[in-house]
Amino acid sequence: MDADQMKERTKRYGVRIVKLASSLPRMEPGWILGRQLLRSGTSVGANYRAACRAKSRADFINKLKIAEEECDESLYWMELLLDADFISENRLSALRTEGSELLAILVASIRSARTNSRD
């Protein structure tokens, strides 16, 4: 997958996060968890885009690490939403799968960038 495809994929992930967050119950716990998910889930694509504009290999790796952390955090908030019964597994399954795949891609990209920086 090239950088443009990854930018598009992380943007679609963010859009799906926005839609999910906006559908959560308006009571305080659902609103708070949804807001946390919204921040971390939409940050994945923003930080990936920032990595693509990095000034150095170290800057690139650092920005990818931030995207990785945000992606992992978004998966955490989704787990909480499930465990608190704010949303069904059926409704969240595909989004969790996408988040896990994006996380794996980011981790592999970081490993590759670190390996290539030693050459």
Side-chain angles (χ1 to χ4, degrees):
M1 171 177 313
D2 68 20
D4 287 335
Q5 291 170 320
M6 185 65 169
K7 284 179 190 177
E8 182 59 32
R9 189 167 174 180
T10 57
K11 183 170 79 172
R12 283 194 317 266
Y13 180 71
V15 168
R16 291 172 69 189
I17 293 286
V18 168
K19 290 178 180 180
L20 171 64
S22 67
S23 74
L24 291 171
R26 298 287 182 228
M27 60 186 170
E28 191 172 6
W31 181 80
I32 290 170
L33 293 175
R35 189 171 167 153
Q36 294 286 59
L37 174 61
L38 186 62
R39 287 180 180 192
S40 60
T42 56
S43 182
V44 176
N47 283 294
Y48 181 78
R49 288 175 69 106
C52 290
R53 299 173 66 75
K55 295 175 175 68
S56 66
R57 171 96 40 202
D59 188 33
F60 176 74
I61 292 168
N62 184 51
K63 288 177 175 160
L64 281 183
K65 285 290 294 171
I66 295 168
E68 173 197 8
E69 290 169 8
E70 295 293 339
C71 191
D72 187 53
E73 183 178 330
S74 71
L75 290 167
Y76 171 77
W77 295 120
M78 284 187 257
E79 286 175 29
L80 278 183
L81 287 167
L82 278 172
D83 292 350
D85 296 321
F86 282 106
I87 195 159
S88 70
E89 175 64 38
N90 259 1
R91 187 148 175 245
L92 204 52
S93 179
L95 187 58
R96 289 178 70 196
T97 298
E98 178 66 0
S100 295
E101 289 176 8
L102 289 171
L103 183 59
I105 292 167
L106 290 165
V107 168
S109 296
I110 292 164
R111 282 189 188 132
S112 179
R114 284 182 175 153
T115 301
N116 292 337
S117 69
R118 294 183 186 126
D119 294 341

